[in-house]
Amino acid sequence: PHSVLGTLHVVDDGSGPRPHYQRHHSAFATVASGDTFDWPSLLSPAKWLHVTGITPLLGPGPAAAWSTALEAAAATDGCDVSLDFNHRPALGSLEELWALVQPHVAARAVTLLMLSED
């Protein structure tokens, strides 16, 4: 009830405008957990679940929600998972992100893995 929405600010430090996101203390980052969403119901009609590497680095709650979504998709017949690494160094290291992603890739819960560069 006392959380803020994540926000996007465009800042210019003299090198041109760039985005600055306020994510760490957003409502999602502070309230989400592994049981926030009924993933089996949400995914039952789905053919794809698309997730990003930003979510698990927002904190323990978002990481649990993200992991639960991947596990539910793996258990849902006909639901594939695409994961865009979308690494943001401000949120954590590439090694930290890979440590969260790798178990799902190893378990074949991820069908399509995309790596994007900023």
Side-chain angles (χ1 to χ4, degrees):
H2 300 288
S3 298
V4 297
L5 292 176
T7 56
L8 163 67
H9 305 275
V10 177
V11 296
D12 190 343
D13 60 4
S15 62
R18 62 181 175 76
H20 173 75
Y21 299 94
Q22 187 281 317
R23 298 179 178 113
H24 277 294
H25 302 290
S26 68
F28 180 72
T30 59
V31 177
S33 69
D35 60 359
T36 300
F37 305 99
D38 180 4
W39 288 112
S41 293
L42 292 169
L43 295 174
S44 66
K47 298 292 182 201
W48 282 94
L49 170 67
H50 179 73
V51 294
T52 173
I54 291 172
T55 306
L57 292 177
L58 292 177
W66 179 87
S67 186
T68 302
L70 289 171
E71 291 164 6
T76 301
D77 189 36
C79 184
D80 291 311
V81 174
S82 63
L83 180 131
D84 184 350
F85 231 60
N86 207 5
H87 176 246
R88 298 292 184 254
L91 297 176
S93 71
L94 190 57
E95 291 76 18
E96 288 174 285
L97 178 55
W98 182 245
L100 297 167
V101 169
Q102 192 277 336
H104 296 286
V105 172
R108 298 182 169 267
V110 175
T111 305
L112 175 65
L113 178 64
M114 298 171 281
L115 306 173
S116 56
E117 273 189 63
D118 259 352

